[in-house]
């Protein structure tokens, strides 16, 4: 979709009417993705209404739907009749046929699906949304693979009923499918990314996440690193007390143990006792 149109739609129609807590660049990005999706769906709808194998290209252009300018309709029809476009359509059709887990949500977005499930009194965690969108109207799964995955999700949901409301990499959907792609989060729809939803920093090309919002225990290597740092801090604190003395009160809260005054009887110099000078003038005076 042309960028000037998106900017005009955002600045002239959206921002004056709505208040957003998020950054405006993120808002514009979401609106751009939403408009592109709706534009694509509308173009496909127009083509399905106008397509007729018995009509020539010129006849289809003449029968442009109401409200569509003739010149714009002609450009769109000419684009669809190009050999390159036909080859792309066949390729996409072949790819769609290879999908092993088709959903039954249709054109309804996941946000609308979640809202509808809430109104029906259903739970709307990621696992439940996935199972609902992979079942037919009679309640059966779309195929055997979807049924196996759905049963695993439901089993994990039953084992962790207290964590259903938590969206994390360790919820039922995350356990079954594994790490998320950096550009999307399953079950949450358009615009959701792991760095925002899970408050994580992801590394493209890898599966490592940091700063997960879940309550899972940290990895063993992190525990060892923290233990080493704690030992080093304790050693530095002891060295500070032995060489300088009491830790000032304004810095005491930064150390793991309360600051204690050194024992003057063990040979450690007092912080208030004047130190002997070791320069030449001191030697001459002595």
């Amino acid at each position: 979709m042309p960028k000037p149109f998106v900017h005009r739609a955002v600045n002239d129609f959206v921002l004056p009417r709505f208040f957003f807590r998020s950054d405006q660049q993120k808002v514009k990005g979401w609106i751009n993705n939403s408009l592109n999706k709706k534009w694509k769906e509308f173009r496909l709808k127009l083509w399905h209404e106008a397509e007729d194998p018995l009509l020539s290209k010129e006849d289809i252009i003449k029968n442009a739907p109401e409200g569509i300018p003739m010149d714009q309709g002609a450009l769109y029809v000419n684009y669809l009749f190009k050999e390159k476009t036909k080859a792309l359509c066949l390729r996409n059709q072949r790819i769609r046929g290879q999908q092993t887990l088709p959903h039954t949500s249709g054109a309804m977005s996941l946000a609308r699906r979640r809202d509808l499930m809430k109104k029906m009194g259903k739970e709307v965690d990621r696992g439940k949304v996935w199972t609902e969108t992979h079942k037919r109207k009679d309640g059966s799964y779309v195929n055997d693979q979807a049924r196996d995955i759905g049963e695993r999700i439901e089993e994990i949901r039953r084992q962790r009923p207290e964590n259903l409301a938590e969206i994390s990499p360790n919820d039922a959907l995350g356990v079954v499918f594994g790490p998320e792609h950096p550009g999307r989060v399953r079950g949450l729809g358009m615009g959701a990314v792991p760095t925002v939803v899970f408050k994580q920093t992801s590394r493209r090309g890898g599966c490592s996440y940091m700063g997960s919002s879940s309550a899972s225990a940290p990895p063993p290597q992190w525990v060892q690193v923290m233990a080493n740092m704690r030992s080093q801090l304790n050693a530095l604190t002891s060295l500070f007390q032995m060489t300088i003395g009491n830790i000032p009160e304004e810095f005491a809260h930064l150390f793991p143990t309360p600051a204690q005054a050194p024992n003057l009887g063990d040979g450690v110099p007092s912080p208030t006792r004047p130190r002997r000078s070791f320069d030449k003038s001191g030697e001459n005076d002595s």
Side-chain angles (χ1 to χ4, degrees):
M1 181 171 291
K3 290 185 178 180
F5 176 81
V6 176
H7 293 327
R8 185 168 65 89
V10 172
N11 296 327
D12 297 346
F13 298 100
V14 178
L15 294 182
R17 292 172 173 81
F18 299 94
F19 172 75
F20 297 95
R21 297 181 183 274
S22 302
D23 181 74
Q24 285 195 5
Q25 292 300 325
K26 294 181 179 179
V27 173
K28 289 182 179 180
W30 184 89
I31 293 175
N32 181 46
N33 294 336
S34 180
L35 288 176
N36 282 328
K37 181 180 179 182
K38 292 178 174 61
W39 186 37
K40 180 185 70 173
E41 294 173 352
F42 180 67
R43 289 194 307 169
L44 291 176
K45 178 177 178 292
L46 290 178
W47 174 243
H48 291 322
E49 292 177 353
E51 183 183 17
D52 190 340
L54 301 179
L55 296 179
S56 63
K57 180 175 66 174
E58 290 73 17
D59 293 334
I60 294 177
I61 293 176
K62 292 178 182 179
N63 296 331
E66 183 179 357
I68 304 299
M70 184 69 70
D71 56 341
Q72 295 184 18
L75 289 174
Y76 182 48
V77 173
N78 287 326
Y79 166 76
L80 292 175
F81 270 85
K82 289 181 178 180
E83 294 300 326
K84 183 178 180 180
T85 305
K86 293 180 180 179
L88 182 62
C89 292
L90 291 176
R91 172 180 173 273
N92 293 338
Q93 183 179 2
R94 184 173 62 255
I95 292 175
R96 288 194 299 270
Q98 296 174 354
Q99 293 181 356
T100 58
L101 291 172
H103 65 80
T104 57
S105 185
M108 180 182 295
S109 66
L110 289 178
R112 290 177 55 197
R113 170 71 68 171
R114 294 169 68 91
D115 185 63
L116 180 62
M117 291 173 61
K118 285 182 180 180
K119 293 179 179 178
M120 298 173 62
K122 296 182 178 180
E123 296 168 323
V124 291
D125 57 281
R126 290 204 304 158
K128 189 63 176 179
V129 171
W130 192 94
T131 57
E132 286 289 320
T133 54
H134 289 79
K135 288 182 179 180
R136 300 185 180 93
K137 292 183 179 180
D138 59 0
S140 61
Y141 285 97
V142 292
N143 54 33
D144 294 339
Q145 183 181 2
R147 184 182 67 252
D148 294 340
I149 294 175
E151 290 175 352
R152 291 170 57 193
I153 291 175
E154 291 295 345
E155 181 180 359
I156 296 174
R157 293 180 71 251
R158 287 192 296 269
Q159 294 174 355
R160 307 176 182 178
E162 69 281 358
N163 296 329
L164 291 180
E166 180 185 15
I167 300 177
S168 78
N170 298 322
D171 59 15
L173 203 65
V175 171
V176 173
F177 284 100
E180 297 286 353
H181 186 276
R184 57 104 173 95
V185 177
R186 296 182 183 92
L188 296 185
M190 183 182 61
V193 294
T195 53
V196 176
V197 176
F198 301 146
K199 294 182 175 59
Q200 298 171 327
T201 57
S202 62
R203 183 177 62 203
R204 185 173 294 274
C207 298
S208 63
Y209 293 103
M210 297 179 61
S212 171
S213 60
S214 63
S216 58
Q221 59 269 27
W222 290 9
V223 176
Q224 184 62 39
V225 170
M226 289 187 289
N228 293 339
M229 294 180 64
R230 189 176 293 108
S231 299
Q232 294 174 4
L233 182 59
N234 290 335
L236 289 174
T237 304
S238 301
L239 180 62
F240 184 92
Q241 293 175 341
M242 292 175 60
T243 56
I244 298 180
N246 292 339
I247 299 175
E249 294 182 359
E250 59 268 24
F251 301 123
H253 67 283
L254 300 176
F255 294 86
T257 56
Q260 297 180 356
N263 187 357
L264 299 180
D266 58 3
V268 179
S270 170
T272 58
R273 182 182 302 172
R275 296 186 179 183
R276 181 180 178 182
S277 174
F278 290 95
D279 56 9
K280 293 182 179 180
S281 61
E283 292 178 355
N284 295 333
D285 294 341
S286 61

